[in-house]
């Protein structure tokens, strides 16, 4: 008996599981293709978008990861997974202030959750290290003292604060609980993305520690992460893994294949952001120009000073708002918009021109620049409002 079409369809979760399998093999391009196929039938599935963001993160594509993370966050703002992946994407995009806010939000919402506390601590230390991150790392260890990742995070946060003795002890405890932590930086796939991220960070910090010019501690001194388990455990045979003896060592990760292009098109988000900026900017210009015209009947000098200040403020405010709202550079978004939606592109350039005309009134006087500013602003706003 043949199955019905609804029974034979692949569910979004099945697409996601297949993507995870491909990612575990380092085939991130095929993993992204599976997510793309799932999103074609379920564009609003937050789990697919979160997994896509994690794939882009492990493939070192932070811009694409941030687009997926932002969309997942809009659909499921209360899920810890969406917040975590967004904080990682923001950090990798070097938006440290925004990343710190998201990490602090994770710590605030789930004060008794071990994963939230250790992950929030590690993310906060990436963006803005300090006592708050160290306290959260200790909280993660207190809540789940038998979980190796909690001690790994404490080691990372402590090392970033240059508390190397504490970092050494925490890392040794992590190795005692799970010896696989020692090779976590070689993991592929997205299931253990957080563990891999913290292990790579600790490895980099360990290199910094070995180059430290401060006096070394009394012998025996040992840098971290260590290739072997804690000192109170038997050392393995030299041929198990000893790079100094030329041993082959553990097998490296399989070769990876990164997604060749973005799965999600950022143009839709960019167009919405630019349309909002046009409405805000043009309304501001219309109000400012009208007030300037009224003020000019009382004092031309005062109105020109006012016009110069408010024109610059509006222009800067629009540019700052766009830089924070868009998930790509403003110039890139406008360039794409010129080929896809000329009306909105013209309105955007009109929004940038109108404040300059208000400043022009401050420089040369006369009502002509104010009238021109109001006309340009009105036309730009009409282009957006009447767009279908």
């Amino acid at each position: 008996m043949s199955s019905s079409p609804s029974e034979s369809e692949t569910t979004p979760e099945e697409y996601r599981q297949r993507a995870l399998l491909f990612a575990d093999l380092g085939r991130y391009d095929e993993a992204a293709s599976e997510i793309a196929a799932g999103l074609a039938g379920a564009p609003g599935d937050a789990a697919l978008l979160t997994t896509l963001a994690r794939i882009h993160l492990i493939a070192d594509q932070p811009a694409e990861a941030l687009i997926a993370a932002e969309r997942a966050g809009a659909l499921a703002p209360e899920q810890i997974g969406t917040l975590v992946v967004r904080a990682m994407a923001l950090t990798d995009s070097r938006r440290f202030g925004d990343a710190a806010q998201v990490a602090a939000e994770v710590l605030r919402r789930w004060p008794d959750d071990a994963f939230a506390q250790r992950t929030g601590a590690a993310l906060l230390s990436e963006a803005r290290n300090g006592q708050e991150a160290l306290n959260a790392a200790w909280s993660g260890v207190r809540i789940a003292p038998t979980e190796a990742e909690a001690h790994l995070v404490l080691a990372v946060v402590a090392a970033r604060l240059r508390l190397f003795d504490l970092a050494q002890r925490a890392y040794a405890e992590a190795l005692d609980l799970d010896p696989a932590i020692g090779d976590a930086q070689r993991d592929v796939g997205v299931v253990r993305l957080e563990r891999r991220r913290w292990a790579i960070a600790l490895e980099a910090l360990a290199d910094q520690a070995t180059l430290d010019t401060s006096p070394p501690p009394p012998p025996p001194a040992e840098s971290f992460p260590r290739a072997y388990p804690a000192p109170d455990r038997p050392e393995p045979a030299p041929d198990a893994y000893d790079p100094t003896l030329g041993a082959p060592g553990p097998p490296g990760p399989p070769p990876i294949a990164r997604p060749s292009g973005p799965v999600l098109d950022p143009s839709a988000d960019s167009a919405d952001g630019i349309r909002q900026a046009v409405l805000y900017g043009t309304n501001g210009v219309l109000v400012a120009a009208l007030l300037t015209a009224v003020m000019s009947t009382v004092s031309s000098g005062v109105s020109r000073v006012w016009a110069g200040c408010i024109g610059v403020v509006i222009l800067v405010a629009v540019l700052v708002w766009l830089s924070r709202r868009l998930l790509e550079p403003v110039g890139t978004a406008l360039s794409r918009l010129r080929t896809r939606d000329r009306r909105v592109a013209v309105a955007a350039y009109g929004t940038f021109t109108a404040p300059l005309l208000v400043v022009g009134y401050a420089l040369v006087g006369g009502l002509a620049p104010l009238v021109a500013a109001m006309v340009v602003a009105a036309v730009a706003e009409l282009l957006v409002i009447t767009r279908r």
Side-chain angles (χ1 to χ4, degrees):
M1 181 175 65
S2 61
S3 59
S4 64
S6 60
E7 293 175 336
S8 61
E9 289 179 353
T10 304
T11 66
E13 180 58 23
E14 289 172 335
Y15 279 117
R16 196 179 77 86
Q17 291 299 327
R18 291 208 301 234
L20 293 176
L21 291 175
F22 280 123
D24 282 341
L25 298 174
R27 292 156 62 180
Y28 304 135
D29 53 346
E30 295 182 66
S33 297
E34 288 293 330
I35 296 295
L39 290 173
D45 192 287
L48 285 175
L49 290 166
T50 301
T51 302
L52 177 62
R54 295 171 73 87
I55 291 170
H56 282 307
L57 279 173
I58 203 168
D60 296 323
Q61 297 173 325
E64 291 83 354
L66 184 56
I67 293 171
E70 294 282 5
R71 294 193 185 182
L75 293 168
E78 300 300 321
Q79 291 185 9
I80 187 173
T82 60
L83 290 174
V84 166
V85 77
R86 181 167 178 257
M88 287 192 285
L90 286 167
T91 300
D92 290 355
S93 299
R94 305 194 65 79
R95 291 172 54 180
F96 298 115
D98 294 333
Q101 291 180 6
V102 177
E105 182 70 9
V106 170
L107 295 173
R108 184 187 64 81
R109 286 192 186 183
W110 295 279
D112 299 319
D113 184 276
F115 172 77
Q117 289 298 297
R118 66 171 178 261
T119 306
L123 293 171
L124 187 59
S125 72
E126 283 186 338
R128 187 188 64 217
N129 200 21
Q131 188 64 41
E132 184 181 359
L134 184 61
N135 292 343
W138 274 113
S139 178
V141 171
R142 176 182 57 79
I143 296 172
T146 60
E147 294 185 11
E149 285 189 34
H151 298 274
L152 176 62
V153 167
L154 178 58
V156 172
V157 175
R160 286 188 174 129
L161 290 171
R162 306 192 68 80
L163 302 173
F164 294 124
D165 288 342
L166 174 59
Q168 178 70 64
R169 294 195 300 271
Y171 187 72
E173 183 65 23
L175 283 174
D176 279 339
L177 292 169
D178 185 358
I181 285 284
D183 291 324
Q185 66 270 27
R186 300 183 181 89
D187 286 343
V188 294
V190 298
V191 175
R192 294 178 297 276
L193 174 60
E194 288 85 359
R195 171 186 284 208
R196 175 180 181 269
R197 189 181 183 93
W198 318 145
I200 290 175
L202 189 59
E203 187 175 51
L205 291 164
D207 293 339
Q208 295 175 16
T210 59
L211 297 176
D212 191 5
T213 58
S214 60
E222 187 175 20
S223 61
F224 61 90
R226 297 169 304 166
Y228 300 118
D232 57 344
R233 297 174 56 184
E235 296 288 348
D239 59 353
Y241 173 55
D242 189 350
T244 62
L245 299 180
I256 63 173
R258 293 179 172 83
S260 57
V263 174
L264 301 176
D265 184 2
S267 60
D269 288 335
S270 297
D272 288 340
I274 291 174
R275 281 194 292 269
Q276 293 177 29
V278 168
L279 294 176
Y280 296 151
T282 54
N283 285 329
V285 168
L286 289 172
V287 172
L290 182 60
L291 288 175
T292 302
V294 172
M295 292 171 64
S296 67
T297 63
V298 178
S299 172
S300 175
V302 172
S303 67
R304 290 174 66 176
V305 172
W306 154 262
C309 294
I310 195 64
V312 171
V313 167
I314 292 174
L315 181 59
V316 171
V318 169
L319 291 174
V320 170
W321 189 88
L322 279 173
S323 66
R324 295 182 64 87
R325 170 64 173 77
L326 302 184
L327 301 177
E328 58 184 343
V330 177
T332 303
L334 290 174
S335 177
R336 183 186 295 109
L337 207 58
R338 285 198 299 268
T339 62
R340 299 191 178 188
D341 196 333
R342 288 183 177 273
R343 289 172 63 92
V344 177
V346 171
Y349 287 113
T351 304
F352 300 143
T353 303
L356 294 177
L357 291 171
V358 176
V359 176
Y361 165 77
L363 297 176
V364 302
L367 292 180
L370 286 181
V371 173
M374 288 189 284
V375 170
V376 170
V379 171
E381 187 165 354
L382 285 173
L383 285 174
V384 170
I385 292 175
T386 58
R387 177 186 177 278
R388 293 185 176 181

